Amino acid sequence: MAVARGEGVWLYDFEGKRYLDAVSSWWVNLFGHANPRINAALRDQLETLEHVMLAGFTHAPVVELSEKLAALTGGRLGHCFYASDGASAVEIALKMSVHYWRNSGRPAKNRYLNLAGSYHGETVGALAVTDVALFRDAYAPLLRPAVSVPSPDARLAEPGESPAAYAARCAATLDAYLAEHHHEIAALIVEPLVQCAAGMAMYDAEYLRLAHASCRRHQVHLIADEIAVGCGRTGTFFASEQAGANVWPDFLCLSKGISGGYLPLSLVMTTPDVYAAFYDDEVTRGFLHSHSYTGNPLACRAALATLEIFATDDVLNANRARAAFLDAHSHSAELQARPWLRHWRQRGMIWAFDVDSTDPQFARRVFAAALQRGLLLRPIGTTVYFMPPYVIGEDGIVFMLKQTLAVLDEVCAHG
Ligand SMILES: Cc1ncc(COP(=O)(O)O)c(C=O)c1O
């Protein structure tokens, strides 16, 4: 579909028809398309500095952004390394972890653990820690795959088992694996709280708490890939915060929403301990990794405008009210009562449910039928989800629920 322009939660085609962007354009947009405040910041930045390399040089937006993000972790993750897309942030975290162990005299620690069904991007390193056969299989000869441990996805709990109890059971399996193999494992990489590409698989924060403790005990890094779940999506600014006050990972990857959905920007936040392991006159102990547009000033300025909106508009609380409205609305109750619906679930500003359908074309049909009704929905398999921009109003929520119900009644009636 060709898009002519965007405004708030709406995208417009060249005939002037509008579509509500219920998936935030692949989970990047936070405060609506063509947001006036982010636009103004970018215009100002354009007149000042559009780009300079970040090797041997620095600039105000990148310094200010690093300081603001570090402050959001209370200084625990006080260092930021910049890149552009999400996958490049994952590459950086993976490389930095292995290089840290090498600099610490433990080069055998060079393998990774991931969660079953995980998705971390599609460059070769990121693909090696991604557990989605569809993306991975064609490139198998290029990859050194991670070892997968069970996903704490609450849908997999036994009947009567709570999400927290199932999370604890998965964490025990992880701990047993680490006890035996920690000498060869550099890091465990997780998508905290929601494995989005796996079909919005949601899990209890208990898993993060226990996995963090296991990693500490066995001297294995914890990499939190918050590329999709960071920036308020799960109800807190960082999803990792829900694991408890002192449960910060060693590496935290951000991208997508951090620039408000405007420009490619990604970064890896890490600890003073990791930073110190690379701070050396010996060049080979340094972290030699760069991209031409690393820390681009325009992208950083968009990110600063995004953080400014979080600070001035009390966004996380406003989102709680939005979420409560959606949950309480009658169309959501009607949806939940449909016989084909399974596992209605929600975390912050992410809602998902599975549809009992064997139609291999289900996702495609829903996508097409939703467009007809002015809604951008993009199911993953038979999982339908909403991840709208944080400026969606009550009218938008009512429209999204009503149209989704109509689309699914139509698609499910045909098989
Ligand atoms: C958890 C997670 N990690 C990494 C990525 C890759 O980001 P990008 O598509 O910007 O490379 C994605 C993209 O959807 C993601 O959801």
Side-chain angles (χ1 to χ4, degrees), residues 27 85-87 119-121 191 225 227-228 256:
W27 323 337
D85 288 290
Y119 179 89
H120 297 289
E191 296 155 87
D225 175 351
I227 287 162
K256 292 194 185 274

Side-chain angles (χ1 to χ4, degrees), residues 113-117 131 147-152 170 173-175 177 188 207:
L113 286 184
N114 64 4
L115 299 183
D131 182 36
V147 173
S148 295
V149 291
S151 162
C170 292
T173 308
L174 165 71
D175 193 64
Y177 188 88
L188 164 70
Y207 187 81

